[in-house]
Amino acid sequence: MLSEATRNQILIVDDEELIVLAMRRYFEGLGYTVDSAHELEEAQALLANRRYNLVIVDLRLTGIGGVEGLQIVSDIQQRSANTRVILLSAYGTPEIERESYNRGADAFLHKPKSMMEIANVAVNLMEQR
Amino acid sequence: MTESALNRILQPGAITPVYQPIFRVAGTTAVIEGMECLSRGPKGTNFESAAVLFEYVRLKREESLVDRACIAAAFRGASLFPTSLRLGINVHASTLGRDHGFIPFLQSTAAATGIALTRVVIEIVEHAPPWDGLSFQSTLQQLRELGMAIALDDIGLGQSNFKMLLDVRPQFLKLDSYFVGGCSTDPHRRAVVTALRTLARDFDAEIVAEGVENAADANALQALGIALMQGFHFAHPLGADAVRDLCPA
């Protein structure tokens, strides 16, 4: 049974501990509740049991090149069309970026991006609800 | 790069067993007949939630490894429980179908912790194949020959269907909380429970009602002929120490 959705629940999917820590501190400082997952399967297990307002995914974590790595976006949208999705990628091609939006991603950010830039996009997306 | 979550889950001591009492209810009397052994993943991680833990394990297709870790933890914790108590352990159907070393593992772990296998109830969870049907049946037969009872979890839901009932011939059918909650006020839920109770009797099996959260539902279940119950109305899952206090040997 899914836990009750909270308006300000964020899931960060990244295996770089320092990045996760930085994001967590930043968003928690703004009053958001933050979960983090270091593996794709961990993220999927969380998504199966909890509802999130926003999911931030580093595409590198999918370990899959090309559009196949965007399956997580489809998975998120299937579970909850109201969940916003931000993808981070250092190697995104125009094709991947286009396909990510086709699958329901709300933002595709090319790394490197500062914490402030990511947070601005995230907060704007969540405030659109 | 962080340590693999699976490695963390499999570290010694990472799995914490808790035990939910199963009561046999007769009138106003409720006697503890057994415990369902449940597992919590590493404290302070996402996997402390059993739902997240096992969803992750299934996605990684490592059910057998984690089943073994959970059972070992459960048996260690239960080693000083009264020998009259049955112990229900959750085992994925895929473990029974694929892990050819599972029976020897069960035997050695039970022996090391002083648990008689005749006390053990194997609660089969997540019945969706693919796994080897012949291997699955062979394992079930060996479990029965060793004196263990079999339970089918989540009866009435998902893959816990009539085919599984015929293939497994369980001694216990665990009635999901979906059908239990509100049965006191919902005649359709009572109709489903009645049908499953009749089915259980035709299979010489007993229903165990899960998720009993109030007296009204407990009374309704009794009226329908259900005697075995577990849920927050009776007791929350307990640590091993709390079980020993509740049920002195």
Side-chain angles (χ1 to χ4, degrees), chain A residues 86-104:
Chain A
I86 295 176
L87 299 178
L88 303 174
S89 176
Y91 307 106
T93 63
E95 181 201 7
I96 291 174
E97 184 171 354
R98 189 169 47 247
E99 181 60 21
S100 72
Y101 286 115
N102 286 342
R103 292 186 185 220

Side-chain angles (χ1 to χ4, degrees), chain B residues 29-249:
Chain B
T29 308
V31 176
I32 297 176
E33 193 158 290
M35 296 283 163
E36 179 180 357
C37 305
L38 304 169
S39 300
R40 303 289 180 259
K43 286 187 169 58
T45 72
N46 293 321
F47 306 105
E48 195 166 354
S49 155
V52 175
L53 169 67
F54 288 107
E55 181 69 21
Y56 172 79
V57 167
R58 286 187 276 273
L59 287 166
K60 297 291 276 188
R61 296 174 66 84
E62 293 286 6
E63 296 95 327
S64 173
L65 265 184
V66 179
D67 279 351
R68 288 185 179 214
C70 292
I71 290 167
F75 280 9
R76 277 196 299 274
S79 61
L80 295 179
F81 290 1
T83 55
S84 58
L85 288 181
R86 283 185 182 270
L87 296 173
I89 54 174
N90 289 295
V91 183
H92 286 84
S94 56
T95 296
L96 299 178
R98 294 184 192 139
D99 184 350
H100 303 298
F102 182 69
I103 298 280
F105 156 79
L106 209 52
Q107 289 173 299
S108 62
T109 305
T113 50
I115 306 283
L117 286 176
T118 49
R119 293 170 55 194
V120 174
V121 179
I122 302 288
E123 297 191 14
I124 302 176
V125 301
E126 291 296 319
H127 321 122
W131 26 260
D132 180 348
L134 286 176
S135 183
F136 177 74
Q137 286 296 342
S138 169
T139 303
L140 281 185
Q141 184 56 31
Q142 290 178 71
L143 293 171
R144 293 191 191 101
E145 287 169 359
L146 288 168
M148 283 176 268
I150 310 292
L152 260 190
D153 201 22
D154 292 340
I155 278 292
L157 290 181
Q159 296 290 328
S160 194
N161 51 34
F162 295 140
K163 181 180 184 301
M164 277 300 288
L165 199 54
L166 279 172
D167 289 347
V168 174
R169 309 288 173 106
Q171 283 75 44
F172 300 100
L173 276 61
K174 301 213 72 183
L175 182 63
D176 190 80
S177 59
Y178 182 79
F179 305 104
V180 170
C183 66
S184 59
T185 56
D186 184 348
H188 296 109
R189 273 187 164 74
R190 289 198 299 279
V192 171
V193 174
T194 301
L196 290 171
R197 183 218 59 199
T198 303
L199 195 58
R201 283 185 183 166
D202 289 343
F203 274 77
D204 291 324
E206 266 201 276
I207 295 274
V208 180
E210 297 184 305
V212 182
E213 296 194 347
N214 56 66
D217 287 341
N219 292 337
L221 289 164
Q222 267 202 86
L224 294 173
I226 309 293
L228 289 173
M229 304 185 200
Q230 64 184 95
F232 292 171
H233 171 63
F234 297 101
H236 286 248
L238 306 166
D241 289 343
V243 173
R244 288 194 290 273
D245 290 340
L246 185 64
C247 310

Side-chain angles (χ1 to χ4, degrees), chain A residues 24-80:
Chain A
R24 177 186 286 279
R25 281 188 176 156
Y26 192 91
F27 286 114
E28 285 177 346
L30 294 176
Y32 295 102
T33 306
V34 179
D35 281 346
S36 61
H38 305 292
E39 299 176 32
L40 205 57
E41 292 89 350
E42 185 178 5
Q44 289 169 329
L46 285 168
L47 288 163
N49 288 283
R50 299 175 191 172
R51 210 165 261 141
Y52 294 96
N53 185 233
L54 170 71
V55 181
I56 303 173
V57 184
D58 187 328
L59 273 186
R60 179 179 46 79
L61 201 68
T62 69
I64 305 167
V67 297
E68 293 81 9
L70 298 174
Q71 182 58 41
I72 188 167
V73 180
S74 306
D75 292 344
I76 294 167
Q77 293 302 302
Q78 272 184 340
R79 294 193 187 280
S80 171

